[in-house]
């Protein structure tokens, strides 16, 4: 566990932190002065990625579906707030920046064309979810023009050791992210703690517009 967090809060970290760091930093190469676009800014992954991006000195843009979630994203450090129900994220992003250097995407197929159009030159699109479908037509000309790259990754199917492994990611977290958690520049965002006996309520909360960050199931000994 990193210093400065409770056992409960630390439970919100491992998979989230490993997913964000491996995709945004190890694969995407995000660095100071670049632009990070995060889809689903109010999720557990999104709220963590906002803080990591800001801690690294990047500008952060997010999409979310409600004003309350976007306001929470602002509080966490996001500078460009896009309501995907009312705005086209490509238009908003490209009006403020020359594209995004790294895009962290949970939608997949339905966002692919607009994500490519949102990339900066030499930009990296990292797809970690397929909520918008698993298939889409790729405009290779647009990708070629920007010298862009698309990475589709997951965490659970990685090998335990070796290059690109879970062990390599955890080593990176301990060296580079845990100190930022200990000094408070990155923190777990927990929307609610729900007893494991009320798991149906926890799922309903995750689906609601009120939830920002992680919902934790807690177990209490009696």
């Amino acid at each position: 566990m990193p210093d400065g967090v409770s056992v409960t809060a630390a439970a919100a970290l491992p998979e989230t932190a490993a997913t964000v760091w491996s995709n945004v930093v190890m694969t995407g190469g995000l660095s100071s002065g670049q632009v990070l676009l995060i889809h689903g800014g109010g999720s557990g992954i999104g709220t963590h990625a906002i803080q990591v991006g800001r801690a690294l000195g990047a500008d952060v843009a997010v999409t979310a579906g409600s004003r309350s979630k976007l306001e929470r994203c602002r509080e966490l450090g996001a500078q460009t707030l896009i309501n995907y129900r009312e705005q086209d994220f490509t238009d908003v992003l490209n009006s403020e920046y020359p594209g995004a250097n790294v895009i962290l995407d949970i939608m997949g197929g339905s966002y692919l064309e607009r994500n490519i159009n949102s990339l900066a030159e030499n930009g990296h699109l990292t797809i970690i979810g397929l909520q918008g479908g698993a298939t889409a037509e790729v405009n290779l000309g647009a990708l070629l023009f920007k010298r862009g790259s698309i990475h589709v990754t997951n965490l659970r199917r990685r090998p335990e050791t070796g290059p690109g492994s879970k062990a390599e990611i955890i080593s990176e977290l301990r060296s580079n992210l845990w100190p930022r958690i200990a000094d408070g520049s990155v923190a777990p965002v927990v929307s609610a703690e729900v007893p494991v006996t009320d798991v149906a309520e926890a799922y309903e909360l995750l689906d609601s517009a009120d939830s920002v960050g992680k919902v934790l199931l807690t177990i209490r000994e009696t």
Side-chain angles (χ1 to χ4, degrees), residues 109-126:
S110 64
Y111 272 22
L112 183 59
E113 180 179 3
R114 283 184 288 165
N115 276 330
I116 292 173
N117 292 336
S118 301
L119 282 175
E121 291 190 3
N122 299 302
H124 300 275
L125 166 60
T126 60

PDB file of all heavy atoms in Angstrom, residues 109-126:
ATOM      1  N   GLY A 109     -15.709   1.160 -30.957  1.00  0.00           N
ATOM      2  CA  GLY A 109     -16.141   1.362 -32.325  1.00  0.00           C
ATOM      3  C   GLY A 109     -16.867   2.661 -32.608  1.00  0.00           C
ATOM      4  O   GLY A 109     -16.567   3.347 -33.590  1.00  0.00           O
ATOM      5  N   SER A 110     -17.824   3.033 -31.780  1.00  0.00           N
ATOM      6  CA  SER A 110     -18.644   4.204 -32.071  1.00  0.00           C
ATOM      7  C   SER A 110     -17.865   5.515 -32.000  1.00  0.00           C
ATOM      8  O   SER A 110     -18.287   6.515 -32.576  1.00  0.00           O
ATOM      9  CB  SER A 110     -19.836   4.268 -31.107  1.00  0.00           C
ATOM     10  OG  SER A 110     -19.395   4.441 -29.768  1.00  0.00           O
ATOM     11  N   TYR A 111     -16.736   5.521 -31.309  1.00  0.00           N
ATOM     12  CA  TYR A 111     -15.936   6.743 -31.164  1.00  0.00           C
ATOM     13  C   TYR A 111     -14.693   6.734 -32.051  1.00  0.00           C
ATOM     14  O   TYR A 111     -13.956   7.722 -32.069  1.00  0.00           O
ATOM     15  CB  TYR A 111     -15.491   6.913 -29.706  1.00  0.00           C
ATOM     16  CG  TYR A 111     -16.465   7.646 -28.812  1.00  0.00           C
ATOM     17  CD1 TYR A 111     -17.812   7.725 -29.117  1.00  0.00           C
ATOM     18  CD2 TYR A 111     -16.032   8.249 -27.629  1.00  0.00           C
ATOM     19  CE1 TYR A 111     -18.697   8.378 -28.293  1.00  0.00           C
ATOM     20  CE2 TYR A 111     -16.915   8.918 -26.805  1.00  0.00           C
ATOM     21  CZ  TYR A 111     -18.252   8.981 -27.133  1.00  0.00           C
ATOM     22  OH  TYR A 111     -19.118   9.649 -26.313  1.00  0.00           O
ATOM     23  N   LEU A 112     -14.453   5.662 -32.785  1.00  0.00           N
ATOM     24  CA  LEU A 112     -13.157   5.517 -33.445  1.00  0.00           C
ATOM     25  C   LEU A 112     -12.867   6.641 -34.429  1.00  0.00           C
ATOM     26  O   LEU A 112     -11.786   7.241 -34.398  1.00  0.00           O
ATOM     27  CB  LEU A 112     -13.082   4.166 -34.151  1.00  0.00           C
ATOM     28  CG  LEU A 112     -11.743   3.851 -34.827  1.00  0.00           C
ATOM     29  CD1 LEU A 112     -10.606   3.875 -33.819  1.00  0.00           C
ATOM     30  CD2 LEU A 112     -11.800   2.499 -35.533  1.00  0.00           C
ATOM     31  N   GLU A 113     -13.802   6.950 -35.320  1.00  0.00           N
ATOM     32  CA  GLU A 113     -13.554   7.983 -36.322  1.00  0.00           C
ATOM     33  C   GLU A 113     -13.290   9.334 -35.663  1.00  0.00           C
ATOM     34  O   GLU A 113     -12.337  10.041 -36.014  1.00  0.00           O
ATOM     35  CB  GLU A 113     -14.739   8.095 -37.276  1.00  0.00           C
ATOM     36  CG  GLU A 113     -14.541   9.151 -38.357  1.00  0.00           C
ATOM     37  CD  GLU A 113     -15.710   9.250 -39.315  1.00  0.00           C
ATOM     38  OE1 GLU A 113     -16.723   8.539 -39.112  1.00  0.00           O
ATOM     39  OE2 GLU A 113     -15.627  10.046 -40.273  1.00  0.00           O
ATOM     40  N   ARG A 114     -14.119   9.696 -34.694  1.00  0.00           N
ATOM     41  CA  ARG A 114     -13.932  10.996 -34.039  1.00  0.00           C
ATOM     42  C   ARG A 114     -12.664  11.030 -33.195  1.00  0.00           C
ATOM     43  O   ARG A 114     -12.011  12.068 -33.075  1.00  0.00           O
ATOM     44  CB  ARG A 114     -15.158  11.333 -33.190  1.00  0.00           C
ATOM     45  CG  ARG A 114     -16.341  11.812 -34.016  1.00  0.00           C
ATOM     46  CD  ARG A 114     -17.501  12.235 -33.144  1.00  0.00           C
ATOM     47  NE  ARG A 114     -18.141  11.088 -32.524  1.00  0.00           N
ATOM     48  CZ  ARG A 114     -18.991  11.175 -31.500  1.00  0.00           C
ATOM     49  NH1 ARG A 114     -19.281  12.364 -30.973  1.00  0.00           N
ATOM     50  NH2 ARG A 114     -19.566  10.105 -31.007  1.00  0.00           N
ATOM     51  N   ASN A 115     -12.302   9.892 -32.606  1.00  0.00           N
ATOM     52  CA  ASN A 115     -11.039   9.845 -31.857  1.00  0.00           C
ATOM     53  C   ASN A 115      -9.845  10.090 -32.776  1.00  0.00           C
ATOM     54  O   ASN A 115      -8.925  10.842 -32.423  1.00  0.00           O
ATOM     55  CB  ASN A 115     -10.887   8.497 -31.154  1.00  0.00           C
ATOM     56  CG  ASN A 115     -11.596   8.439 -29.815  1.00  0.00           C
ATOM     57  OD1 ASN A 115     -11.739   9.450 -29.135  1.00  0.00           O
ATOM     58  ND2 ASN A 115     -12.033   7.255 -29.432  1.00  0.00           N
ATOM     59  N   ILE A 116      -9.849   9.468 -33.944  1.00  0.00           N
ATOM     60  CA  ILE A 116      -8.758   9.692 -34.891  1.00  0.00           C
ATOM     61  C   ILE A 116      -8.713  11.161 -35.304  1.00  0.00           C
ATOM     62  O   ILE A 116      -7.633  11.770 -35.388  1.00  0.00           O
ATOM     63  CB  ILE A 116      -8.910   8.779 -36.115  1.00  0.00           C
ATOM     64  CG1 ILE A 116      -8.676   7.316 -35.709  1.00  0.00           C
ATOM     65  CG2 ILE A 116      -7.931   9.180 -37.224  1.00  0.00           C
ATOM     66  CD1 ILE A 116      -8.960   6.322 -36.811  1.00  0.00           C
ATOM     67  N   ASN A 117      -9.882  11.750 -35.539  1.00  0.00           N
ATOM     68  CA  ASN A 117      -9.934  13.157 -35.917  1.00  0.00           C
ATOM     69  C   ASN A 117      -9.510  14.084 -34.779  1.00  0.00           C
ATOM     70  O   ASN A 117      -9.188  15.251 -35.021  1.00  0.00           O
ATOM     71  CB  ASN A 117     -11.340  13.532 -36.383  1.00  0.00           C
ATOM     72  CG  ASN A 117     -11.722  12.868 -37.690  1.00  0.00           C
ATOM     73  OD1 ASN A 117     -10.858  12.501 -38.476  1.00  0.00           O
ATOM     74  ND2 ASN A 117     -13.013  12.699 -37.921  1.00  0.00           N
ATOM     75  N   SER A 118      -9.499  13.564 -33.559  1.00  0.00           N
ATOM     76  CA  SER A 118      -9.112  14.368 -32.391  1.00  0.00           C
ATOM     77  C   SER A 118      -7.641  14.247 -32.043  1.00  0.00           C
ATOM     78  O   SER A 118      -7.153  14.968 -31.167  1.00  0.00           O
ATOM     79  CB  SER A 118      -9.943  13.952 -31.166  1.00  0.00           C
ATOM     80  OG  SER A 118     -11.331  14.115 -31.402  1.00  0.00           O
ATOM     81  N   LEU A 119      -6.936  13.333 -32.691  1.00  0.00           N
ATOM     82  CA  LEU A 119      -5.524  13.118 -32.375  1.00  0.00           C
ATOM     83  C   LEU A 119      -4.649  14.261 -32.872  1.00  0.00           C
ATOM     84  O   LEU A 119      -4.874  14.814 -33.949  1.00  0.00           O
ATOM     85  CB  LEU A 119      -5.019  11.818 -33.004  1.00  0.00           C
ATOM     86  CG  LEU A 119      -5.372  10.487 -32.334  1.00  0.00           C
ATOM     87  CD1 LEU A 119      -4.871   9.346 -33.196  1.00  0.00           C
ATOM     88  CD2 LEU A 119      -4.793  10.398 -30.927  1.00  0.00           C
ATOM     89  N   ALA A 120      -3.633  14.579 -32.090  1.00  0.00           N
ATOM     90  CA  ALA A 120      -2.566  15.461 -32.546  1.00  0.00           C
ATOM     91  C   ALA A 120      -1.604  14.646 -33.409  1.00  0.00           C
ATOM     92  O   ALA A 120      -1.693  13.416 -33.475  1.00  0.00           O
ATOM     93  CB  ALA A 120      -1.820  16.061 -31.355  1.00  0.00           C
ATOM     94  N   GLU A 121      -0.690  15.312 -34.076  1.00  0.00           N
ATOM     95  CA  GLU A 121       0.334  14.590 -34.825  1.00  0.00           C
ATOM     96  C   GLU A 121       1.143  13.712 -33.872  1.00  0.00           C
ATOM     97  O   GLU A 121       1.486  14.129 -32.770  1.00  0.00           O
ATOM     98  CB  GLU A 121       1.248  15.565 -35.559  1.00  0.00           C
ATOM     99  CG  GLU A 121       0.552  16.286 -36.706  1.00  0.00           C
ATOM    100  CD  GLU A 121       1.522  17.061 -37.569  1.00  0.00           C
ATOM    101  OE1 GLU A 121       2.739  16.990 -37.313  1.00  0.00           O
ATOM    102  OE2 GLU A 121       1.064  17.735 -38.499  1.00  0.00           O
ATOM    103  N   ASN A 122       1.426  12.496 -34.311  1.00  0.00           N
ATOM    104  CA  ASN A 122       2.125  11.497 -33.494  1.00  0.00           C
ATOM    105  C   ASN A 122       1.334  11.110 -32.245  1.00  0.00           C
ATOM    106  O   ASN A 122       1.913  10.639 -31.263  1.00  0.00           O
ATOM    107  CB  ASN A 122       3.527  11.984 -33.094  1.00  0.00           C
ATOM    108  CG  ASN A 122       4.416  12.239 -34.289  1.00  0.00           C
ATOM    109  OD1 ASN A 122       4.645  11.336 -35.096  1.00  0.00           O
ATOM    110  ND2 ASN A 122       4.902  13.464 -34.423  1.00  0.00           N
ATOM    111  N   GLY A 123       0.021  11.303 -32.281  1.00  0.00           N
ATOM    112  CA  GLY A 123      -0.809  11.004 -31.125  1.00  0.00           C
ATOM    113  C   GLY A 123      -1.075   9.521 -30.952  1.00  0.00           C
ATOM    114  O   GLY A 123      -0.959   8.721 -31.888  1.00  0.00           O
ATOM    115  N   HIS A 124      -1.439   9.154 -29.720  1.00  0.00           N
ATOM    116  CA  HIS A 124      -1.712   7.758 -29.370  1.00  0.00           C
ATOM    117  C   HIS A 124      -3.155   7.630 -28.883  1.00  0.00           C
ATOM    118  O   HIS A 124      -3.553   8.300 -27.924  1.00  0.00           O
ATOM    119  CB  HIS A 124      -0.783   7.282 -28.253  1.00  0.00           C
ATOM    120  CG  HIS A 124       0.668   7.346 -28.601  1.00  0.00           C
ATOM    121  ND1 HIS A 124       1.322   6.338 -29.281  1.00  0.00           N
ATOM    122  CD2 HIS A 124       1.590   8.305 -28.374  1.00  0.00           C
ATOM    123  CE1 HIS A 124       2.581   6.674 -29.458  1.00  0.00           C
ATOM    124  NE2 HIS A 124       2.773   7.866 -28.914  1.00  0.00           N
ATOM    125  N   LEU A 125      -3.918   6.771 -29.541  1.00  0.00           N
ATOM    126  CA  LEU A 125      -5.258   6.416 -29.087  1.00  0.00           C
ATOM    127  C   LEU A 125      -5.177   5.067 -28.394  1.00  0.00           C
ATOM    128  O   LEU A 125      -4.781   4.068 -29.002  1.00  0.00           O
ATOM    129  CB  LEU A 125      -6.216   6.349 -30.279  1.00  0.00           C
ATOM    130  CG  LEU A 125      -7.579   5.683 -30.036  1.00  0.00           C
ATOM    131  CD1 LEU A 125      -8.372   6.411 -28.965  1.00  0.00           C
ATOM    132  CD2 LEU A 125      -8.360   5.601 -31.344  1.00  0.00           C
ATOM    133  N   THR A 126      -5.531   5.025 -27.117  1.00  0.00           N
ATOM    134  CA  THR A 126      -5.513   3.774 -26.368  1.00  0.00           C
ATOM    135  C   THR A 126      -6.952   3.406 -26.004  1.00  0.00           C
ATOM    136  O   THR A 126      -7.632   4.152 -25.324  1.00  0.00           O
ATOM    137  CB  THR A 126      -4.643   3.871 -25.096  1.00  0.00           C
ATOM    138  OG1 THR A 126      -5.170   4.889 -24.242  1.00  0.00           O
ATOM    139  CG2 THR A 126      -3.219   4.204 -25.449  1.00  0.00           C
TER     140      THR A 126
END
